Amino acid sequence: MKKVLVVVDMQNDFVNGALGSTEAQAIVPAVCEKIRSFDGKIYVTLDTHGENYMQSSEGKKLPVPHCIKGTAGHELNARVQDALDGKDYKTAEKLTFGCVRLPEMLKEDCFDAECGSIELIGLCTDICVVSNALLLKANFPEAEISVDSACCAGVTEQLHRAALDTMKSCQINII
């Protein structure tokens, strides 16, 4: 396996739900086009919380219930789901910003870091995209890892740019 696309948290609550934004809604067409035109394995992360979210460490710092498993907010944006239909993809639920299972999944699927590439897109640039990019870079230091900035949105434009700068400093290519 040489090419991987990681679609980070393109869920209803991040697009137009509890934590949605105009910027998140604006990237949906580009994300869908990237998915449709991508020829390779796709991994989709899903931010996943339970009914006890408000008692969690994250819930105490971000008191906005979101991506509660079993709710419409936890589901992928319908347009993103449509773009994934017929594609070779796997989903991975994650309980925190970075999907610790993601590197294991790539290894199980025989990802070859010496000649492979990983591209990340999704939400939010300054939280989950940067967390997953750095997690992948730590596990696959020789892989070409990139982030398509046009297919990402941050909590704010300033935080989006700061996250892109951070990833660039960590030798992650910014498209």
Side-chain angles (χ1 to χ4, degrees):
M1 178 176 35
K2 295 188 181 212
K3 287 176 57 176
V4 168
L5 179 65
V6 178
V7 180
V8 180
D9 299 356
M10 288 299 299
Q11 295 161 269
N12 289 328
D13 270 348
F14 289 124
V15 176
N16 57 7
L19 294 172
S21 68
T22 305
E23 294 82 5
Q25 293 168 27
I27 69 164
V28 170
V31 166
C32 292
E33 181 54 36
K34 175 77 70 172
I35 291 168
R36 283 189 197 96
S37 65
F38 189 77
D39 183 26
K41 184 76 174 185
I42 301 173
Y43 295 84
V44 179
T45 68
L46 297 172
D47 194 44
T48 304
H49 300 293
E51 294 296 329
N52 66 339
Y53 172 77
M54 293 298 285
Q55 286 74 49
S56 71
S57 176
E58 181 181 328
K60 290 174 184 169
K61 293 179 176 144
L62 178 63
V64 179
H66 63 281
C67 299
I68 307 297
K69 190 168 182 167
T71 68
H74 182 257
E75 295 172 8
L76 283 173
N77 172 271
R79 291 166 59 193
V80 172
Q81 184 62 65
D82 286 346
L84 285 164
D85 287 346
K87 292 297 220 176
D88 181 15
Y89 77 96
K90 289 183 177 180
T91 59
E93 292 183 351
K94 61 185 189 59
L95 306 177
T96 187
F97 309 126
C99 183
V100 295
R101 173 109 173 83
L102 190 57
E104 295 171 24
M105 292 172 72
L106 270 71
K107 289 174 186 173
E108 289 167 4
D109 289 340
C110 301
F111 175 71
D112 184 355
E114 297 297 320
C115 63
S117 66
I118 303 169
E119 183 174 346
L120 293 95
I121 60 175
L123 302 168
C124 292
T125 317
D126 50 306
I127 302 172
C128 295
V129 174
V130 68
S131 296
N132 283 287
L134 293 173
L135 184 64
L136 290 166
K137 187 66 174 173
N139 279 272
F140 303 106
E142 297 303 317
E144 281 295 316
I145 299 177
S146 60
V147 172
D148 186 338
S149 63
C151 292
C152 294
V155 174
T156 67
E157 182 61 26
Q158 182 180 5
L159 292 172
H160 169 74
R161 293 276 163 223
L164 294 173
D165 288 344
T166 296
M167 289 184 280
K168 187 175 181 181
S169 294
C170 294
Q171 301 178 354
I172 294 166
N173 302 317
I174 306 302
I175 303 170

